[in-house]
Amino acid sequence: MSARVPTSMLATFAVPGSVVLGLFFLIPVCAVLVGAFADGGSAFGRLAGDPVFWNGLRGTMVLGTVAPLFSLVVGFCVALALARFAPGLRTAALIAISLPLTFSGLIVAYGFILLLGRAGFVTLLLAKLGFDPAVIGGFIFSPVGLGLAYSYYLVPRVVLIVLPAISNFDRNQMLASRSLGAGSFRTLTEVMLPQILPSLIAAYCLTAAVAVGAYGTALALAGTQVNILPLVLYSKISETGTDLPAASAASIVLVAICAVVVAIGEAMRPQRKS
């Protein structure tokens, strides 16, 4: 029988987290919300009538759907392979895989430019093989190239979330399925995937929220060539005609999208039985 922790002690432990949440989330969001309604709420009307905003919203939804989906597939395959490694080798591999999470978006962007840009190492190497360097060098600055750059730091997040579920999965179930005549693909899709599905959904929602709000990588790689909501927000505060209320309104829309995505992932999580 486990001892019951006093409520006062739980409240004490919650104080640091509450302070951080208030200082770095609630207060900034409230300040942005006040700014959005500084002109009586007409900023939302200006956004609704701005085709650039709708194009940016559409681009954000596409990028925030496709890049996390690609990262989920790659991360699942990597986690599936890591689960078969010895503990020491798995730890070393996880350290290497987690390194992209320590880099800022700007460093990631410039790394891809040095690798795949118009004068990048891979571009010049392929040019010697007869490929057009203008085409190869322009790839990384396209929406597809931006999604690839996003996946560089989304895949490690997927691996870190999905790997514990795969490692704790009872593989005897798969052996039993194979012994009954099921193929590898059917065993994977009908035995393993349904049991680790909550982890997959959580990984997808987390990476989708990160992709929707990513800013530094997109700015350094695409600038204004790719129309996504974070860059629309940037344009509202960086150009000559600064529109702070509209920028605040766009920020609220961006926060709302991320909150909905995270809430979906939380709702799909299996409830703990009492």
Side-chain angles (χ1 to χ4, degrees):
M1 185 175 178
S2 59
R4 186 176 180 85
V5 180
T7 304
S8 58
M9 182 176 294
L10 292 177
T12 302
F13 289 155
V15 168
S18 301
V19 171
V20 172
L21 180 65
L23 289 177
F24 298 101
F25 179 73
L26 295 179
I27 293 178
V29 169
C30 290
V32 171
L33 191 61
V34 170
F37 288 95
D39 54 358
S42 62
F44 290 97
R46 291 197 300 275
L47 281 184
D50 187 0
V52 175
F53 167 77
W54 290 109
N55 290 334
L57 182 59
R58 187 182 304 109
T60 295
M61 300 305 293
V62 172
L63 189 62
T65 301
V66 177
L69 185 59
F70 173 78
S71 302
L72 182 66
V73 174
V74 175
F76 171 73
C77 295
V78 172
L80 200 61
L82 289 179
R84 300 177 181 272
F85 286 8
L89 183 59
R90 184 191 308 167
T91 301
L94 282 175
I95 293 175
I97 290 173
S98 302
L99 282 179
L101 299 178
T102 64
F103 302 146
S104 71
L106 291 176
I107 293 177
V108 172
Y110 289 130
F112 272 93
I113 292 174
L114 292 175
L115 190 66
L116 295 170
R118 294 180 175 86
F121 172 76
V122 174
T123 303
L124 297 180
L125 183 62
L126 292 176
K128 293 182 179 180
L129 298 177
F131 292 92
D132 187 356
V135 175
I136 302 299
F139 165 77
I140 194 60
F141 304 104
S142 67
V144 178
L146 182 59
L148 178 64
Y150 276 16
S151 299
Y152 178 74
Y153 52 79
L154 295 182
V155 170
R157 288 178 167 85
V158 174
V159 173
L160 293 176
I161 295 174
V162 176
L163 182 59
I166 296 179
S167 299
N168 294 326
F169 177 76
D170 185 6
R171 294 185 176 274
N172 290 326
Q173 301 178 51
M174 301 184 70
L175 295 176
S177 176
R178 295 294 301 275
S179 67
L180 293 174
S184 300
F185 180 76
R186 186 174 182 182
T187 298
L188 179 67
T189 56
E190 296 188 10
V191 177
M192 174 182 278
L193 287 183
Q195 298 187 51
I196 67 171
L197 185 60
S199 295
L200 295 176
I201 294 175
Y204 178 81
C205 290
L206 175 63
T207 52
V210 173
V212 166
Y215 162 74
T217 304
L219 180 63
L221 275 182
T224 58
Q225 299 179 47
V226 177
N227 199 357
I228 56 176
L229 203 53
L231 297 183
V232 173
L233 170 60
Y234 171 77
S235 68
K236 297 292 184 183
I237 60 176
S238 63
E239 296 179 352
T240 305
T242 301
D243 190 349
L244 292 181
S248 299
S251 300
I252 294 300
V253 173
L254 198 57
V255 170
I257 294 174
C258 294
V260 169
V261 171
V262 174
I264 292 174
E266 187 69 18
M268 297 298 293
R269 189 181 65 175
Q271 300 298 322
R272 182 179 299 177
K273 297 181 180 179
S274 57

